[in-house]
mmCIF file of all heavy atoms in Angstrom:
data_model
loop_
_atom_site.group_PDB
_atom_site.id
_atom_site.type_symbol
_atom_site.label_atom_id
_atom_site.label_comp_id
_atom_site.label_asym_id
_atom_site.label_seq_id
_atom_site.Cartn_x
_atom_site.Cartn_y
_atom_site.Cartn_z
ATOM 1 N N GLU A 52 -15.747 -15.923 4.519
ATOM 2 C CA GLU A 52 -16.936 -16.724 4.814
ATOM 3 C C GLU A 52 -16.469 -17.956 5.598
ATOM 4 O O GLU A 52 -15.797 -18.815 5.046
ATOM 5 C CB GLU A 52 -17.638 -17.141 3.523
ATOM 6 C CG GLU A 52 -18.857 -18.031 3.746
ATOM 7 C CD GLU A 52 -19.801 -17.493 4.793
ATOM 8 O OE1 GLU A 52 -20.482 -16.502 4.528
ATOM 9 O OE2 GLU A 52 -19.850 -18.050 5.926
ATOM 10 N N GLU A 187 -24.839 -25.234 13.844
ATOM 11 C CA GLU A 187 -26.295 -25.384 13.748
ATOM 12 C C GLU A 187 -26.842 -24.456 12.660
ATOM 13 O O GLU A 187 -27.478 -24.915 11.727
ATOM 14 C CB GLU A 187 -26.908 -25.055 15.114
ATOM 15 C CG GLU A 187 -28.287 -25.600 15.333
ATOM 16 C CD GLU A 187 -28.322 -27.098 15.578
ATOM 17 O OE1 GLU A 187 -27.261 -27.734 15.747
ATOM 18 O OE2 GLU A 187 -29.415 -27.632 15.582
ATOM 19 N N PRO A 189 -25.651 -20.604 10.568
ATOM 20 C CA PRO A 189 -24.794 -19.419 10.452
ATOM 21 C C PRO A 189 -25.496 -18.161 10.978
ATOM 22 O O PRO A 189 -26.717 -18.056 10.927
ATOM 23 C CB PRO A 189 -24.549 -19.312 8.943
ATOM 24 C CG PRO A 189 -24.778 -20.698 8.420
ATOM 25 C CD PRO A 189 -25.869 -21.269 9.283
ATOM 26 N N GLY A 192 -21.743 -12.457 10.411
ATOM 27 C CA GLY A 192 -20.459 -13.019 9.993
ATOM 28 C C GLY A 192 -19.288 -12.065 10.020
ATOM 29 O O GLY A 192 -18.682 -11.820 8.992
ATOM 30 N N LYS A 244 -17.281 -0.385 11.368
ATOM 31 C CA LYS A 244 -17.998 0.205 10.227
ATOM 32 C C LYS A 244 -17.409 1.544 9.804
ATOM 33 O O LYS A 244 -18.126 2.528 9.635
ATOM 34 C CB LYS A 244 -19.494 0.333 10.544
ATOM 35 C CG LYS A 244 -20.147 -1.027 10.758
ATOM 36 C CD LYS A 244 -21.667 -0.986 10.804
ATOM 37 C CE LYS A 244 -22.220 -2.402 10.993
ATOM 38 N NZ LYS A 244 -23.638 -2.541 10.896
ATOM 39 N N GLN A 327 -35.511 -14.857 16.391
ATOM 40 C CA GLN A 327 -36.256 -14.266 15.268
ATOM 41 C C GLN A 327 -35.657 -12.939 14.825
ATOM 42 O O GLN A 327 -36.180 -12.290 13.927
ATOM 43 C CB GLN A 327 -37.729 -14.086 15.620
ATOM 44 C CG GLN A 327 -38.464 -15.411 15.723
ATOM 45 C CD GLN A 327 -39.912 -15.279 15.320
ATOM 46 O OE1 GLN A 327 -40.251 -14.669 14.306
ATOM 47 N NE2 GLN A 327 -40.789 -15.857 16.103
ATOM 48 N N LYS A 330 -30.421 -10.309 10.369
ATOM 49 C CA LYS A 330 -29.982 -9.245 9.472
ATOM 50 C C LYS A 330 -31.150 -8.368 9.005
ATOM 51 O O LYS A 330 -30.955 -7.198 8.687
ATOM 52 C CB LYS A 330 -29.303 -9.894 8.257
ATOM 53 C CG LYS A 330 -28.514 -8.951 7.405
ATOM 54 C CD LYS A 330 -27.681 -9.730 6.413
ATOM 55 C CE LYS A 330 -26.825 -8.836 5.561
ATOM 56 N NZ LYS A 330 -25.932 -9.627 4.680
ATOM 57 N N GLN A 331 -32.339 -8.963 8.963
ATOM 58 C CA GLN A 331 -33.499 -8.253 8.420
ATOM 59 C C GLN A 331 -34.132 -7.270 9.408
ATOM 60 O O GLN A 331 -34.920 -6.427 8.996
ATOM 61 C CB GLN A 331 -34.552 -9.261 7.931
ATOM 62 C CG GLN A 331 -35.378 -9.951 9.009
ATOM 63 C CD GLN A 331 -34.619 -11.031 9.784
ATOM 64 O OE1 GLN A 331 -33.428 -11.247 9.565
ATOM 65 N NE2 GLN A 331 -35.298 -11.703 10.688
ATOM 66 N N ALA A 333 -32.442 -6.610 13.004
ATOM 67 C CA ALA A 333 -31.650 -6.326 14.216
ATOM 68 C C ALA A 333 -31.394 -4.837 14.352
ATOM 69 O O ALA A 333 -31.060 -4.157 13.376
ATOM 70 C CB ALA A 333 -30.323 -7.082 14.154
ATOM 71 N N LYS A 334 -31.591 -4.323 15.565
ATOM 72 C CA LYS A 334 -31.220 -2.949 15.889
ATOM 73 C C LYS A 334 -30.343 -3.004 17.137
ATOM 74 O O LYS A 334 -30.126 -4.069 17.700
ATOM 75 C CB LYS A 334 -32.483 -2.121 16.155
ATOM 76 C CG LYS A 334 -33.350 -1.990 14.927
ATOM 77 C CD LYS A 334 -34.519 -1.077 15.152
ATOM 78 C CE LYS A 334 -35.279 -0.905 13.829
ATOM 79 N NZ LYS A 334 -36.380 0.054 13.963
ATOM 80 N N TYR A 335 -29.864 -1.842 17.554
ATOM 81 C CA TYR A 335 -29.064 -1.850 18.778
ATOM 82 C C TYR A 335 -29.954 -1.879 20.008
ATOM 83 O O TYR A 335 -29.525 -2.281 21.079
ATOM 84 C CB TYR A 335 -28.138 -0.637 18.815
ATOM 85 C CG TYR A 335 -27.284 -0.553 17.564
ATOM 86 C CD1 TYR A 335 -27.280 0.588 16.765
ATOM 87 C CD2 TYR A 335 -26.519 -1.641 17.166
ATOM 88 C CE1 TYR A 335 -26.521 0.642 15.605
ATOM 89 C CE2 TYR A 335 -25.748 -1.597 16.001
ATOM 90 C CZ TYR A 335 -25.763 -0.451 15.224
ATOM 91 O OH TYR A 335 -25.018 -0.407 14.079
ATOM 92 N N SER A 336 -31.215 -1.479 19.823
ATOM 93 C CA SER A 336 -32.099 -1.398 20.987
ATOM 94 C C SER A 336 -32.987 -2.628 21.137
ATOM 95 O O SER A 336 -33.695 -2.745 22.129
ATOM 96 C CB SER A 336 -32.981 -0.148 20.893
ATOM 97 O OG SER A 336 -33.832 -0.236 19.763
ATOM 98 N N TRP A 422 -22.007 -45.102 18.098
ATOM 99 C CA TRP A 422 -21.978 -43.663 18.350
ATOM 100 C C TRP A 422 -22.957 -43.285 19.456
ATOM 101 O O TRP A 422 -24.158 -43.551 19.356
ATOM 102 C CB TRP A 422 -22.348 -42.894 17.081
ATOM 103 C CG TRP A 422 -21.247 -42.847 16.085
ATOM 104 C CD1 TRP A 422 -21.167 -43.532 14.904
ATOM 105 C CD2 TRP A 422 -20.049 -42.067 16.170
ATOM 106 N NE1 TRP A 422 -19.998 -43.225 14.253
ATOM 107 C CE2 TRP A 422 -19.289 -42.331 15.006
ATOM 108 C CE3 TRP A 422 -19.524 -41.172 17.104
ATOM 109 C CZ2 TRP A 422 -18.056 -41.733 14.749
ATOM 110 C CZ3 TRP A 422 -18.292 -40.579 16.863
ATOM 111 C CH2 TRP A 422 -17.575 -40.870 15.696
ATOM 112 N N ARG A 442 -30.120 -25.070 19.792
ATOM 113 C CA ARG A 442 -31.238 -24.332 19.201
ATOM 114 C C ARG A 442 -32.075 -23.607 20.272
ATOM 115 O O ARG A 442 -32.682 -22.579 19.990
ATOM 116 C CB ARG A 442 -32.112 -25.285 18.373
ATOM 117 C CG ARG A 442 -33.502 -24.760 18.081
ATOM 118 C CD ARG A 442 -33.949 -24.725 16.639
ATOM 119 N NE ARG A 442 -35.049 -23.783 16.534
ATOM 120 C CZ ARG A 442 -35.244 -22.930 15.556
ATOM 121 N NH1 ARG A 442 -34.435 -22.916 14.529
ATOM 122 N NH2 ARG A 442 -36.252 -22.095 15.563
ATOM 123 N N LYS A 459 -19.947 -36.369 20.559
ATOM 124 C CA LYS A 459 -20.244 -37.672 19.976
ATOM 125 C C LYS A 459 -19.028 -38.564 20.164
ATOM 126 O O LYS A 459 -17.937 -38.184 19.734
ATOM 127 C CB LYS A 459 -20.522 -37.517 18.479
ATOM 128 C CG LYS A 459 -21.765 -36.708 18.194
ATOM 129 C CD LYS A 459 -21.858 -36.275 16.743
ATOM 130 C CE LYS A 459 -23.141 -35.477 16.545
ATOM 131 N NZ LYS A 459 -23.416 -35.153 15.152
ATOM 132 N N TYR A 461 -17.518 -42.636 19.715
ATOM 133 C CA TYR A 461 -17.776 -43.980 19.218
ATOM 134 C C TYR A 461 -17.316 -44.945 20.297
ATOM 135 O O TYR A 461 -16.122 -45.097 20.565
ATOM 136 C CB TYR A 461 -17.035 -44.223 17.905
ATOM 137 C CG TYR A 461 -17.467 -45.510 17.248
ATOM 138 C CD1 TYR A 461 -18.560 -45.541 16.382
ATOM 139 C CD2 TYR A 461 -16.817 -46.707 17.524
ATOM 140 C CE1 TYR A 461 -18.976 -46.721 15.809
ATOM 141 C CE2 TYR A 461 -17.232 -47.890 16.952
ATOM 142 C CZ TYR A 461 -18.316 -47.898 16.104
ATOM 143 O OH TYR A 461 -18.749 -49.070 15.536
ATOM 144 N N ARG A 467 -17.449 -56.936 25.883
ATOM 145 C CA ARG A 467 -18.431 -57.711 25.117
ATOM 146 C C ARG A 467 -17.701 -58.787 24.298
ATOM 147 O O ARG A 467 -16.661 -58.507 23.680
ATOM 148 C CB ARG A 467 -19.186 -56.807 24.153
ATOM 149 C CG ARG A 467 -20.272 -55.980 24.817
ATOM 150 C CD ARG A 467 -21.000 -55.227 23.740
ATOM 151 N NE ARG A 467 -22.215 -54.584 24.201
ATOM 152 C CZ ARG A 467 -23.077 -53.993 23.393
ATOM 153 N NH1 ARG A 467 -22.859 -53.971 22.082
ATOM 154 N NH2 ARG A 467 -24.158 -53.414 23.875
ATOM 155 N N ARG A 473 -13.267 -59.806 17.917
ATOM 156 C CA ARG A 473 -12.818 -59.002 16.782
ATOM 157 C C ARG A 473 -11.423 -58.401 17.051
ATOM 158 O O ARG A 473 -10.581 -58.367 16.168
ATOM 159 C CB ARG A 473 -13.850 -57.906 16.482
ATOM 160 C CG ARG A 473 -13.496 -56.872 15.428
ATOM 161 C CD ARG A 473 -13.376 -57.420 14.000
ATOM 162 N NE ARG A 473 -14.404 -58.352 13.596
ATOM 163 C CZ ARG A 473 -15.568 -58.034 13.013
ATOM 164 N NH1 ARG A 473 -15.839 -56.783 12.737
ATOM 165 N NH2 ARG A 473 -16.425 -58.969 12.681
ATOM 166 N N PRO A 486 -7.876 -45.782 11.695
ATOM 167 C CA PRO A 486 -9.069 -44.928 11.645
ATOM 168 C C PRO A 486 -10.366 -45.730 11.520
ATOM 169 O O PRO A 486 -10.430 -46.697 10.767
ATOM 170 C CB PRO A 486 -8.850 -44.065 10.402
ATOM 171 C CG PRO A 486 -7.805 -44.758 9.597
ATOM 172 C CD PRO A 486 -7.002 -45.596 10.533
ATOM 173 N N THR A 488 -13.189 -45.262 10.104
ATOM 174 C CA THR A 488 -13.912 -45.399 8.833
ATOM 175 C C THR A 488 -13.177 -46.262 7.807
ATOM 176 O O THR A 488 -13.752 -46.583 6.772
ATOM 177 C CB THR A 488 -14.146 -44.008 8.210
ATOM 178 O OG1 THR A 488 -12.909 -43.300 8.221
ATOM 179 C CG2 THR A 488 -15.179 -43.221 8.992
ATOM 180 N N LEU A 489 -11.921 -46.601 8.082
ATOM 181 C CA LEU A 489 -11.176 -47.427 7.118
ATOM 182 C C LEU A 489 -11.652 -48.871 7.230
ATOM 183 O O LEU A 489 -11.516 -49.494 8.281
ATOM 184 C CB LEU A 489 -9.672 -47.325 7.406
ATOM 185 C CG LEU A 489 -8.760 -48.005 6.387
ATOM 186 C CD1 LEU A 489 -8.786 -47.269 5.058
ATOM 187 C CD2 LEU A 489 -7.334 -48.101 6.906
ATOM 188 N N GLU A 496 -16.464 -62.546 8.657
ATOM 189 C CA GLU A 496 -17.071 -63.767 9.180
ATOM 190 C C GLU A 496 -16.697 -64.916 8.241
ATOM 191 O O GLU A 496 -16.727 -64.747 7.026
ATOM 192 C CB GLU A 496 -18.601 -63.606 9.192
ATOM 193 C CG GLU A 496 -19.340 -64.636 10.000
ATOM 194 C CD GLU A 496 -20.824 -64.260 10.112
ATOM 195 O OE1 GLU A 496 -21.319 -63.494 9.254
ATOM 196 O OE2 GLU A 496 -21.474 -64.728 11.055
ATOM 197 N N GLU A 500 -19.231 -70.150 9.669
ATOM 198 C CA GLU A 500 -19.925 -69.445 10.747
ATOM 199 C C GLU A 500 -21.199 -68.790 10.204
ATOM 200 O O GLU A 500 -22.259 -68.837 10.825
ATOM 201 C CB GLU A 500 -18.980 -68.384 11.341
ATOM 202 C CG GLU A 500 -19.412 -67.853 12.705
ATOM 203 C CD GLU A 500 -18.601 -66.639 13.161
ATOM 204 O OE1 GLU A 500 -17.514 -66.389 12.578
ATOM 205 O OE2 GLU A 500 -19.054 -65.941 14.075
ATOM 206 N N ARG A 510 -32.966 -66.496 6.889
ATOM 207 C CA ARG A 510 -33.159 -65.171 6.305
ATOM 208 C C ARG A 510 -34.607 -64.947 5.867
ATOM 209 O O ARG A 510 -35.110 -63.840 5.871
ATOM 210 C CB ARG A 510 -32.257 -65.034 5.063
ATOM 211 C CG ARG A 510 -30.770 -64.965 5.365
ATOM 212 C CD ARG A 510 -30.395 -63.593 5.815
ATOM 213 N NE ARG A 510 -28.968 -63.319 5.761
ATOM 214 C CZ ARG A 510 -28.414 -62.380 6.536
ATOM 215 N NH1 ARG A 510 -29.125 -61.683 7.387
ATOM 216 N NH2 ARG A 510 -27.127 -62.150 6.443
ATOM 217 N N GLU B 52 -10.687 -40.301 2.973
ATOM 218 C CA GLU B 52 -11.481 -40.010 4.181
ATOM 219 C C GLU B 52 -12.483 -38.921 3.799
ATOM 220 O O GLU B 52 -12.104 -37.786 3.539
ATOM 221 C CB GLU B 52 -10.576 -39.538 5.311
ATOM 222 C CG GLU B 52 -11.325 -39.145 6.576
ATOM 223 C CD GLU B 52 -12.333 -40.198 7.012
ATOM 224 O OE1 GLU B 52 -11.911 -41.244 7.491
ATOM 225 O OE2 GLU B 52 -13.564 -39.970 6.853
ATOM 226 N N GLU B 187 -24.224 -36.788 10.722
ATOM 227 C CA GLU B 187 -24.508 -37.077 12.133
ATOM 228 C C GLU B 187 -23.338 -37.852 12.753
ATOM 229 O O GLU B 187 -22.752 -37.404 13.731
ATOM 230 C CB GLU B 187 -25.810 -37.885 12.218
ATOM 231 C CG GLU B 187 -26.486 -37.880 13.549
ATOM 232 C CD GLU B 187 -27.180 -36.570 13.885
ATOM 233 O OE1 GLU B 187 -27.297 -35.683 12.998
ATOM 234 O OE2 GLU B 187 -27.578 -36.414 15.030
ATOM 235 N N PRO B 189 -19.941 -40.536 11.396
ATOM 236 C CA PRO B 189 -19.277 -41.323 10.349
ATOM 237 C C PRO B 189 -19.533 -42.821 10.551
ATOM 238 O O PRO B 189 -19.723 -43.272 11.680
ATOM 239 C CB PRO B 189 -17.793 -40.993 10.555
ATOM 240 C CG PRO B 189 -17.788 -39.667 11.249
ATOM 241 C CD PRO B 189 -18.999 -39.687 12.142
ATOM 242 N N GLY B 192 -16.359 -46.774 5.923
ATOM 243 C CA GLY B 192 -15.854 -45.748 5.006
ATOM 244 C C GLY B 192 -15.334 -46.254 3.683
ATOM 245 O O GLY B 192 -14.171 -46.058 3.361
ATOM 246 N N GLN B 327 -25.731 -50.255 17.371
ATOM 247 C CA GLN B 327 -24.674 -50.761 18.260
ATOM 248 C C GLN B 327 -23.726 -51.698 17.533
ATOM 249 O O GLN B 327 -22.802 -52.255 18.133
ATOM 250 C CB GLN B 327 -25.280 -51.480 19.467
ATOM 251 C CG GLN B 327 -25.965 -50.521 20.425
ATOM 252 C CD GLN B 327 -25.868 -50.993 21.859
ATOM 253 O OE1 GLN B 327 -24.836 -51.428 22.338
ATOM 254 N NE2 GLN B 327 -26.976 -50.904 22.566
ATOM 255 N N LYS B 330 -17.622 -51.463 13.417
ATOM 256 C CA LYS B 330 -16.351 -52.079 13.043
ATOM 257 C C LYS B 330 -15.907 -53.141 14.058
ATOM 258 O O LYS B 330 -15.208 -54.090 13.709
ATOM 259 C CB LYS B 330 -15.287 -50.987 12.940
ATOM 260 C CG LYS B 330 -14.021 -51.406 12.230
ATOM 261 C CD LYS B 330 -13.160 -50.188 11.970
ATOM 262 C CE LYS B 330 -11.916 -50.557 11.181
ATOM 263 N NZ LYS B 330 -11.156 -49.338 10.814
ATOM 264 N N GLN B 331 -16.316 -52.954 15.309
ATOM 265 C CA GLN B 331 -15.850 -53.835 16.377
ATOM 266 C C GLN B 331 -16.598 -55.169 16.428
ATOM 267 O O GLN B 331 -16.146 -56.099 17.071
ATOM 268 C CB GLN B 331 -15.955 -53.115 17.727
ATOM 269 C CG GLN B 331 -17.356 -52.991 18.332
ATOM 270 C CD GLN B 331 -18.231 -51.925 17.648
ATOM 271 O OE1 GLN B 331 -17.810 -51.290 16.685
ATOM 272 N NE2 GLN B 331 -19.448 -51.764 18.129
ATOM 273 N N ALA B 333 -19.330 -56.081 13.635
ATOM 274 C CA ALA B 333 -20.187 -56.375 12.474
ATOM 275 C C ALA B 333 -19.793 -57.715 11.846
ATOM 276 O O ALA B 333 -18.613 -58.002 11.670
ATOM 277 C CB ALA B 333 -20.067 -55.256 11.442
ATOM 278 N N LYS B 334 -20.795 -58.535 11.549
ATOM 279 C CA LYS B 334 -20.585 -59.765 10.783
ATOM 280 C C LYS B 334 -21.557 -59.732 9.615
ATOM 281 O O LYS B 334 -22.357 -58.804 9.492
ATOM 282 C CB LYS B 334 -20.852 -60.980 11.661
ATOM 283 C CG LYS B 334 -19.872 -61.067 12.810
ATOM 284 C CD LYS B 334 -20.048 -62.345 13.609
ATOM 285 C CE LYS B 334 -18.951 -62.395 14.675
ATOM 286 N NZ LYS B 334 -19.029 -63.635 15.451
ATOM 287 N N TYR B 335 -21.474 -60.739 8.759
ATOM 288 C CA TYR B 335 -22.417 -60.763 7.648
ATOM 289 C C TYR B 335 -23.767 -61.303 8.111
ATOM 290 O O TYR B 335 -24.784 -61.083 7.468
ATOM 291 C CB TYR B 335 -21.859 -61.610 6.501
ATOM 292 C CG TYR B 335 -20.488 -61.129 6.070
ATOM 293 C CD1 TYR B 335 -19.396 -61.994 6.036
ATOM 294 C CD2 TYR B 335 -20.289 -59.791 5.742
ATOM 295 C CE1 TYR B 335 -18.141 -61.526 5.665
ATOM 296 C CE2 TYR B 335 -19.037 -59.320 5.377
ATOM 297 C CZ TYR B 335 -17.967 -60.195 5.349
ATOM 298 O OH TYR B 335 -16.732 -59.729 5.001
ATOM 299 N N SER B 336 -23.747 -62.036 9.246
ATOM 300 C CA SER B 336 -24.999 -62.658 9.690
ATOM 301 C C SER B 336 -25.715 -61.840 10.755
ATOM 302 O O SER B 336 -26.815 -62.189 11.154
ATOM 303 C CB SER B 336 -24.718 -64.060 10.230
ATOM 304 O OG SER B 336 -23.886 -63.994 11.371
ATOM 305 N N TRP B 422 -33.750 -18.632 11.512
ATOM 306 C CA TRP B 422 -33.525 -20.006 11.069
ATOM 307 C C TRP B 422 -34.645 -20.920 11.530
ATOM 308 O O TRP B 422 -34.906 -21.017 12.728
ATOM 309 C CB TRP B 422 -32.195 -20.532 11.616
ATOM 310 C CG TRP B 422 -31.013 -19.988 10.892
ATOM 311 C CD1 TRP B 422 -30.124 -19.067 11.353
ATOM 312 C CD2 TRP B 422 -30.577 -20.349 9.578
ATOM 313 N NE1 TRP B 422 -29.160 -18.823 10.403
ATOM 314 C CE2 TRP B 422 -29.404 -19.598 9.307
ATOM 315 C CE3 TRP B 422 -31.043 -21.231 8.604
ATOM 316 C CZ2 TRP B 422 -28.711 -19.702 8.100
ATOM 317 C CZ3 TRP B 422 -30.347 -21.328 7.407
ATOM 318 C CH2 TRP B 422 -29.202 -20.577 7.171
ATOM 319 N N ARG B 442 -30.849 -39.973 13.758
ATOM 320 C CA ARG B 442 -30.321 -40.871 14.806
ATOM 321 C C ARG B 442 -31.270 -42.043 15.078
ATOM 322 O O ARG B 442 -30.828 -43.122 15.458
ATOM 323 C CB ARG B 442 -30.045 -40.090 16.090
ATOM 324 C CG ARG B 442 -29.920 -40.950 17.313
ATOM 325 C CD ARG B 442 -28.696 -40.780 18.189
ATOM 326 N NE ARG B 442 -28.545 -41.976 19.001
ATOM 327 C CZ ARG B 442 -27.405 -42.579 19.273
ATOM 328 N NH1 ARG B 442 -26.282 -42.092 18.828
ATOM 329 N NH2 ARG B 442 -27.375 -43.675 19.988
ATOM 330 N N LYS B 459 -32.811 -26.592 6.792
ATOM 331 C CA LYS B 459 -32.744 -25.342 7.551
ATOM 332 C C LYS B 459 -32.917 -24.191 6.582
ATOM 333 O O LYS B 459 -32.162 -24.092 5.617
ATOM 334 C CB LYS B 459 -31.383 -25.222 8.229
ATOM 335 C CG LYS B 459 -31.149 -26.281 9.276
ATOM 336 C CD LYS B 459 -29.697 -26.366 9.711
ATOM 337 C CE LYS B 459 -29.572 -27.457 10.762
ATOM 338 N NZ LYS B 459 -28.232 -27.498 11.372
ATOM 339 N N TYR B 461 -33.455 -19.877 6.296
ATOM 340 C CA TYR B 461 -33.481 -18.595 6.993
ATOM 341 C C TYR B 461 -34.672 -17.812 6.460
ATOM 342 O O TYR B 461 -34.684 -17.367 5.312
ATOM 343 C CB TYR B 461 -32.170 -17.837 6.764
ATOM 344 C CG TYR B 461 -32.066 -16.629 7.670
ATOM 345 C CD1 TYR B 461 -31.529 -16.749 8.947
ATOM 346 C CD2 TYR B 461 -32.535 -15.389 7.276
ATOM 347 C CE1 TYR B 461 -31.454 -15.664 9.800
ATOM 348 C CE2 TYR B 461 -32.471 -14.294 8.120
ATOM 349 C CZ TYR B 461 -31.923 -14.435 9.382
ATOM 350 O OH TYR B 461 -31.858 -13.371 10.227
ATOM 351 N N ARG B 467 -43.596 -8.138 7.730
ATOM 352 C CA ARG B 467 -43.332 -7.554 9.054
ATOM 353 C C ARG B 467 -42.763 -6.147 8.874
ATOM 354 O O ARG B 467 -41.878 -5.923 8.029
ATOM 355 C CB ARG B 467 -42.329 -8.395 9.821
ATOM 356 C CG ARG B 467 -42.933 -9.638 10.446
ATOM 357 C CD ARG B 467 -41.876 -10.319 11.278
ATOM 358 N NE ARG B 467 -42.380 -11.392 12.098
ATOM 359 C CZ ARG B 467 -41.637 -12.027 12.996
ATOM 360 N NH1 ARG B 467 -40.368 -11.686 13.168
ATOM 361 N NH2 ARG B 467 -42.143 -12.999 13.714
ATOM 362 N N ARG B 473 -36.206 -2.318 6.963
ATOM 363 C CA ARG B 473 -34.796 -2.649 6.710
ATOM 364 C C ARG B 473 -34.551 -2.830 5.214
ATOM 365 O O ARG B 473 -33.538 -2.379 4.673
ATOM 366 C CB ARG B 473 -34.411 -3.913 7.496
ATOM 367 C CG ARG B 473 -33.017 -4.489 7.245
ATOM 368 C CD ARG B 473 -31.867 -3.586 7.689
ATOM 369 N NE ARG B 473 -32.027 -2.964 8.972
ATOM 370 C CZ ARG B 473 -31.649 -3.479 10.162
ATOM 371 N NH1 ARG B 473 -31.073 -4.667 10.200
ATOM 372 N NH2 ARG B 473 -31.841 -2.815 11.268
ATOM 373 N N PRO B 486 -24.872 -12.050 0.578
ATOM 374 C CA PRO B 486 -24.840 -13.201 1.487
ATOM 375 C C PRO B 486 -25.245 -12.848 2.914
ATOM 376 O O PRO B 486 -24.855 -11.814 3.429
ATOM 377 C CB PRO B 486 -23.366 -13.655 1.438
ATOM 378 C CG PRO B 486 -22.599 -12.499 0.908
ATOM 379 C CD PRO B 486 -23.540 -11.678 0.087
ATOM 380 N N THR B 488 -24.441 -13.826 5.851
ATOM 381 C CA THR B 488 -23.472 -13.633 6.933
ATOM 382 C C THR B 488 -22.630 -12.366 6.774
ATOM 383 O O THR B 488 -21.912 -11.999 7.694
ATOM 384 C CB THR B 488 -22.516 -14.839 7.017
ATOM 385 O OG1 THR B 488 -22.012 -15.096 5.705
ATOM 386 C CG2 THR B 488 -23.213 -16.078 7.529
ATOM 387 N N LEU B 489 -22.708 -11.719 5.611
ATOM 388 C CA LEU B 489 -21.909 -10.508 5.399
ATOM 389 C C LEU B 489 -22.568 -9.349 6.155
ATOM 390 O O LEU B 489 -23.692 -8.965 5.849
ATOM 391 C CB LEU B 489 -21.809 -10.197 3.906
ATOM 392 C CG LEU B 489 -20.866 -9.053 3.527
ATOM 393 C CD1 LEU B 489 -19.411 -9.440 3.757
ATOM 394 C CD2 LEU B 489 -21.066 -8.650 2.074
ATOM 395 N N ILE B 493 -23.846 -0.465 7.079
ATOM 396 C CA ILE B 493 -24.512 0.739 7.605
ATOM 397 C C ILE B 493 -24.908 0.544 9.061
ATOM 398 O O ILE B 493 -25.031 -0.575 9.541
ATOM 399 C CB ILE B 493 -25.782 1.067 6.781
ATOM 400 C CG1 ILE B 493 -26.664 -0.197 6.666
ATOM 401 C CG2 ILE B 493 -25.412 1.615 5.409
ATOM 402 C CD1 ILE B 493 -28.023 0.038 6.068
ATOM 403 N N GLU B 496 -29.203 1.405 13.404
ATOM 404 C CA GLU B 496 -30.200 2.222 14.087
ATOM 405 C C GLU B 496 -29.608 3.614 14.294
ATOM 406 O O GLU B 496 -28.427 3.738 14.662
ATOM 407 C CB GLU B 496 -30.496 1.581 15.452
ATOM 408 C CG GLU B 496 -31.703 2.120 16.163
ATOM 409 C CD GLU B 496 -32.020 1.272 17.392
ATOM 410 O OE1 GLU B 496 -31.106 0.600 17.902
ATOM 411 O OE2 GLU B 496 -33.191 1.288 17.829
ATOM 412 N N GLU B 500 -33.122 7.312 17.433
ATOM 413 C CA GLU B 500 -34.052 6.188 17.574
ATOM 414 C C GLU B 500 -33.635 5.312 18.763
ATOM 415 O O GLU B 500 -34.460 4.880 19.571
ATOM 416 C CB GLU B 500 -34.060 5.366 16.281
ATOM 417 C CG GLU B 500 -35.248 4.420 16.153
ATOM 418 C CD GLU B 500 -35.124 3.460 14.963
ATOM 419 O OE1 GLU B 500 -34.292 3.703 14.058
ATOM 420 O OE2 GLU B 500 -35.859 2.453 14.965
ATOM 421 N N ARG B 510 -32.483 0.301 30.090
ATOM 422 C CA ARG B 510 -31.573 -0.842 30.130
ATOM 423 C C ARG B 510 -31.426 -1.386 31.552
ATOM 424 O O ARG B 510 -31.189 -2.565 31.748
ATOM 425 C CB ARG B 510 -30.182 -0.409 29.635
ATOM 426 C CG ARG B 510 -30.097 -0.072 28.156
ATOM 427 C CD ARG B 510 -30.093 -1.331 27.354
ATOM 428 N NE ARG B 510 -29.594 -1.142 25.987
ATOM 429 C CZ ARG B 510 -29.859 -2.009 25.015
ATOM 430 N NH1 ARG B 510 -30.588 -3.073 25.241
ATOM 431 N NH2 ARG B 510 -29.381 -1.812 23.816
#
Side-chain angles (χ1 to χ4, degrees):
Chain A
E52 178 49 72
E187 200 74 9
K244 296 191 179 187
Q327 290 211 46
K330 194 169 182 175
Q331 76 286 3
K334 295 185 175 184
Y335 306 124
S336 64
W422 284 107
R442 162 126 200 140
K459 295 166 180 187
Y461 190 88
R467 282 184 170 187
R473 174 66 43 90
T488 49
L489 187 69
E496 194 172 22
E500 196 190 344
R510 291 281 197 204
Chain B
E52 177 49 72
E187 199 74 9
Q327 290 212 44
K330 195 170 183 174
Q331 76 285 2
K334 296 186 176 182
Y335 305 125
S336 63
W422 284 108
R442 162 128 200 139
K459 295 166 180 187
Y461 190 88
R467 281 185 170 187
R473 174 65 44 89
T488 50
L489 187 70
I493 51 171
E496 192 171 23
E500 196 189 344
R510 291 284 198 200

